[in-house]
Amino acid sequence: MLWKKAVRDLKDSKASYLACTAVIFIGLVVFSSFSIVMDNLDVSQRNFYRTQRFADGFAEVEAMPGAEVEKLRNLEGVADIQGRLVKEARVLLPGREESVYLRLISVDPAAENPINGMELMQGIPLERGEMNIWVDNKFFKANHLKLNQEIEVIVEGKKKDLRIVGFGRSPEFIYALRSSTDLYPNPARFGIAFVPYEAMRALFAAGKTVNDLVFTLRPGADYLALEQMLEPELKPYGLKRIYPRKDQISHFMLTQELNGLRSTARTLPLLFLSVAALILYIMLRRMVEQQREQIGILKALGYTDREILLHYMVHPLIVGAAGGLTGWLAGIALSFPFTTLYQMFFNMPGLESRFSPVYFLLSILLSLTFSGFAGYQGCKGVLALKPVEAMRPPAPPVAAKALLERFPLIWGMFTVQGKMALRNISRNKRRSLFVFAGITFAFSLGGLTWALQDMSEQMLLAQYEKVQTYNIKVDLAHPLDQEKATRELARFPGVKSAEPVAEIPVTLKNEWREKDVVLLGLPQDGRLYNILDKGDRRVAPPRNGVLISERLARLLGAGTGTQLTVASLMMRGPEEKKKVEVVGVIPQYLGLNAYMEIEAAGRLLGQENLATGVMLLVDEQRVPLLQREYNSSSAIAGFVNRAEMFNQVQELLASYSGTILIFALMAVVTGFAIIYNSSTITLSERSRELASMMVLGMTPAEALAVITFEQWVISIFAMLAGIPLTKLLLAGMAQALSTDIYTMPAEMSGLSAVVAFFITAASIWIAQRMAAKKVDRLSLVEVLKSRE
């Protein structure tokens, strides 16, 4: 009998339970899909690193004899160390105007299982002395290359032909960025090539030297201790940089992504499950109160407390099981396109989605735990009821005046429905608080979604329209005299403006904190790269001191007036380190830089008139001609085209539109579930009251207004409260997601608030339309005679 009653109860409230199941479903979809993708990435990364012997440390030098590298094997803590040549070459592909680059890395074809070895996917082995190369598989595919095809590259100002004999992937370039200013890999424009060492020596006339070292540690060895031993050994050979695995750009980006996925998979589902638990608690509590007479009869017939409690626990457990099962299944399905999306950016073997029984168990366990706990809390009152007491109607709650009733002038302005709604809010504080919290959460979810979109556009607008106002930056192969380099490029037809720039790798240190960044030297009166303050006002690069970005200031624990220690391998003179004062902190969304006036930067290094690049404002139609003119120059390392970078980032953001739509849908479903269940509970409580109003002549719409007015009053205040909550969440996300590559602004635009308002209002309106059908179906006779 109890099962039949349970089925009947579930049918009577099927829409409410479905709405609650939908909230659990969303939470478990996020949990299972993100967790599966995170596991796929994690397992693929660990396996790839182990099989291809990913390095524990990296060092860059000017030039070092290969024989000297072998001596470093004797240092304590070194398991293996290898030297190699790493150079960049421009690729001339037929019919391609834009710049395409290959990073050439030397390999010893005879070496077995070298550090950072490429996994050959297809092709033949490399041979010493042959101008054959392996390229990375994404570059191979993106540029429609073929095996045994010859490609033309520019090396040291001369054209050379290289034959592609294989393609594969390397653990060092899972996330292949050409520089730290790139946001994501672009295999059509940048790739990796492995070249036999002898061939590299011949290409670059490097003798028997190397300029890059990779090493692994013995088990238990301390990286910092080894770094201190390596530095004096490498300094005579022009040590540029030595860094551990955690600072390697590809590993860093993958680690950041894994951390973000882990954080989302753990926090967001808990929020949705908490909302679902609140809904179930309110529903079960209300149901037990309404059915107290039936409970009394059941007890009088001999049913035990345990049997009746289990009868009511069936409802939340069925909802939890349905939400957990469907959420897990949808999460499995969603993990496939998510994994495919990650395959576009992360180049690893074994990165594929799969069935996961572990997350099936965890999904079911999570949903049953939350729904079971909420259900028990909602219906445990069954245990306290005695049969005689249960068969009596409950004593009516103590009525009290609403707060506004103390102000007759204001109170008189409300309609009858409005007064009834306001009294109901003050007499059902717990339920009103639940609706308030739920709507606040739904609003924040919608606001957060649009704010993220706004933040991305704000980052792009600030960087590519306000900061970088040049359209081409010419990177020099080595530092040159700024006047000569600028004059040479300024005389090219179509160039409207040319300004030098010095990009200097430095280490900034404040007490025990230090950070490797690029110090930008800019002209005092330049207009092609603008440093902006929070009010978008241009700030001149300082002649005495340095400007640093907000994130860099946080990382260094520095502020205006702080004396930073600057060290750079480009410094000339007796001093290896110098002091410089922070004269200002400015916002920066892309990159992590410090800024000085270019002449002052040259004096700091002991190299006057230094330039590492030239920024140009050129007629757009002249840009291809300029690139063709200087393509074969040995003094030029490459071109940075602002329009191309802007378009690429826009394409990346466009690919996130589906994700934004999903989050907006989540906000609608959550708002709908909360309002619909609130309406259902209110209707069940006040059906007699509403029926009486309709008998007295009110239309169903006028009777429904008692409920909708109450909900809108709570919702308006909840949405207002959602604005600071959204800002708080944004600040937390900006703090968690910001990296050295980009810094997310934590500002909520007015548009985000307006969009969130409309999303929330739409979900409320839809829920109220559904509730209106219940009012229309009220049987006045049945309702009014129910207490007799």
Side-chain angles (χ1 to χ4, degrees), residues 414 421-422 425 436 708-718:
F414 290 100
L422 291 173
I425 291 173
F436 181 88
T708 57
F709 184 86
E710 173 187 337
Q711 290 172 343
W712 282 117
V713 168
I714 296 173
S715 298
I716 286 171
F717 286 103

Side-chain angles (χ1 to χ4, degrees), residues 691-741:
S692 301
M693 292 163 63
M694 290 164 69
V695 168
L696 291 172
M698 284 190 180
T699 64
E702 289 171 331
L704 180 67
V706 176
I707 299 173
T708 57
F709 184 86
E710 173 187 337
Q711 290 172 343
W712 282 117
V713 168
I714 296 173
S715 298
I716 286 171
F717 286 103
M719 286 190 275
L720 290 175
I723 294 174
L725 178 63
T726 308
K727 288 183 176 179
L728 193 66
L729 292 173
L730 274 175
M733 287 191 71
Q735 181 77 18
L737 298 180
S738 293
T739 68
D740 293 355
I741 304 292

Side-chain angles (χ1 to χ4, degrees), residues 275 279 434-435 438-439 441-442 669-679:
V275 170
I279 295 173
F434 156 71
V435 174
I439 294 298
F441 174 68
V669 171
T670 306
F672 171 83
I674 291 164
I675 291 297
Y676 183 75
N677 282 291
S678 167
S679 304

Side-chain angles (χ1 to χ4, degrees), residues 150-269:
E150 284 195 343
I151 57 172
E152 199 171 46
V153 298
I154 297 176
V155 176
E156 303 285 320
K158 298 176 183 175
K159 292 182 179 178
K160 301 284 183 182
D161 290 329
L162 299 173
R163 182 182 298 278
I164 300 171
V165 296
F167 61 85
R169 49 197 162 202
S170 163
E172 194 177 353
F173 299 99
I174 289 173
Y175 197 82
L177 298 178
R178 184 172 174 236
S179 70
S180 58
T181 58
D182 293 340
L183 286 177
Y184 69 99
N186 184 357
R189 302 282 305 279
F190 174 71
I192 311 299
F194 284 78
V195 189
Y197 178 66
E198 299 299 331
M200 279 282 280
R201 284 177 51 197
L203 283 172
F204 293 92
K208 293 184 178 180
T209 63
V210 296
N211 65 352
D212 193 274
L213 289 88
V214 290
F215 54 92
T216 56
L217 301 179
R218 291 183 185 280
D222 180 31
Y223 171 82
L224 289 177
L226 178 58
E227 183 180 301
Q228 289 176 355
M229 287 188 280
L230 276 172
E231 276 185 352
E233 299 288 340
L234 298 178
K235 274 188 178 176
Y237 305 106
L239 176 63
K240 294 179 180 176
R241 189 180 173 213
I242 181 167
Y243 54 96
R245 174 190 287 187
K246 70 179 179 63
D247 291 337
Q248 200 265 341
I249 187 69
S250 170
H251 176 79
F252 175 81
M253 295 301 292
L254 182 52
T255 304
Q256 289 284 319
E257 191 62 36
L258 282 168
N259 290 339
L261 280 173
R262 189 174 291 112
S263 174
T264 306
R266 288 179 180 173
T267 54
L268 203 54

Side-chain angles (χ1 to χ4, degrees), residues 350-389:
L351 185 57
E352 52 191 33
S353 193
R354 54 183 70 89
F355 178 83
S356 172
V358 173
Y359 288 109
F360 166 69
L361 294 175
L362 287 176
S363 298
I364 294 294
L365 186 64
L366 266 176
S367 58
L368 288 182
T369 301
F370 273 81
S371 56
F373 176 77
Y376 176 76
Q377 293 298 321
C379 62
K380 66 181 181 182
V382 169
L383 302 175
L385 283 174
K386 302 295 181 189
V388 175
E389 181 188 351

Side-chain angles (χ1 to χ4, degrees), residues 421-435:
L422 291 173
R423 286 194 184 110
N424 200 39
I425 291 173
S426 67
R427 292 170 185 171
N428 294 280
K429 294 183 178 62
R430 187 178 298 179
R431 194 177 65 234
S432 301
L433 187 62
F434 156 71
V435 174

